[in-house]
Structure formats: C-alpha cells, structure tokens
C-alpha cells in the first residue's frame, strides 16, 4: 500500500562549493523530512526546466543520520568561523600529527 504524502515545495538555490556546482535546499526541508536529509540519489533531467529527484532511502540508518547531521552542522560552523576570523587559524604541523599518533598508539578501538 502506498503512503500518501502531502505535496510540499521548497525553493532551491544555486550552491558552489570549491569547484563543484549544485543546488541547496532550505533548512526547512531537513526539519520537515529529517529521514531524507542524508539520502543520496539521482537527478533525471526531464526538460530544460524540470528535474526529477530519486532518493535512495533503503540504506539510511537513523543513528548514522543523526551523527552525520551533527558532524555537518559542526563542520559548517567551523568553516564559517574560519572565513570570518582567518587570523585565528593555526597551521596543522607534522609535529602535531606525531604527538597525536603518540597519544593514540595504545588505544584499541572496538
């Protein structure tokens, strides 16, 4: 039996991240449909101004989804802060990497 969904429209905008072009959905989409926020899928071009989006939701795990959303929000925050205050950035050095390796060398991960 098919679950009937109410038609909802969300305005998309152009998004450029690095050398990638794409579309950005408003935050309301993720709030209204959190189960779809981390879905991947395909876009089919039906005509010059019509796209069909097909999402693959079979492999979404709710716990992973929450972790991914939180990580994404955290990384977005860090990026905004780095852009806003570039003078506060500290270069990650090989010495730092070696120190972290030393701290983690005896750590066992299940």
């Amino acid at each position: 039996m098919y679950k009937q969904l109410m038609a909802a429209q969300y305005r998309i905008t152009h998004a450029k991240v690095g050398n990638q072009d794409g579309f950005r959905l408003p935050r309301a989409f993720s709030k209204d449909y959190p189960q779809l926020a981390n879905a991947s899928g395909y876009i089919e071009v039906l005509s010059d101004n019509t796209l069909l989006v097909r999402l693959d939701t079979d492999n979404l795990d709710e716990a992973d989804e929450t972790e991914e959303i939180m990580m994404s929000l955290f990384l977005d925050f860090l990026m905004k802060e780095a852009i806003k205050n570039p003078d506060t950035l500290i270069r990650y050095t090989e010495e730092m990497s070696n120190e972290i390796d030393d701290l983690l060398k005896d750590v066992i991960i299940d």
Side-chain angles (χ1 to χ4, degrees):
M1 185 178 227
Y2 290 101
K3 181 180 176 184
Q4 186 176 11
L5 295 175
M6 293 181 58
Q9 290 187 357
Y10 297 91
R11 184 161 190 72
I12 61 172
T13 56
H14 175 262
K16 184 162 185 76
V17 179
N19 61 357
Q20 299 274 331
D21 287 313
F23 294 107
R24 177 171 291 156
L25 286 164
R27 185 168 297 203
F29 174 80
S30 296
K31 288 182 180 179
D32 293 345
Y33 300 97
Q35 74 277 16
L36 300 177
N38 289 321
S40 59
Y42 306 90
I43 291 181
E44 295 179 34
V45 179
L46 301 178
S47 69
D48 286 344
N49 65 354
T50 305
L51 303 174
L52 176 65
V53 178
R54 294 182 188 268
L55 298 178
D56 178 15
T57 58
D58 293 338
N59 299 325
L60 289 179
D61 178 58
E62 198 169 309
D64 289 343
E65 180 179 326
T66 301
E67 289 176 15
E68 288 178 19
I69 289 172
M70 293 305 294
M71 181 60 79
S72 176
L73 292 171
F74 176 68
L75 293 174
D76 287 347
F77 166 77
L78 287 180
M79 184 61 77
K80 286 178 187 174
E81 286 298 309
I83 290 170
K84 203 171 17 173
N85 301 309
D87 296 338
T88 62
L89 297 177
I90 299 171
R91 176 167 289 155
Y92 186 73
T93 65
E94 189 172 340
E95 182 180 304
M96 291 174 172
S97 178
N98 292 337
E99 183 178 341
I100 290 172
D101 289 343
D102 288 342
L103 289 171
L104 297 175
K105 71 180 173 188
D106 296 324
V107 174
I108 299 170
I109 300 175
D110 292 337

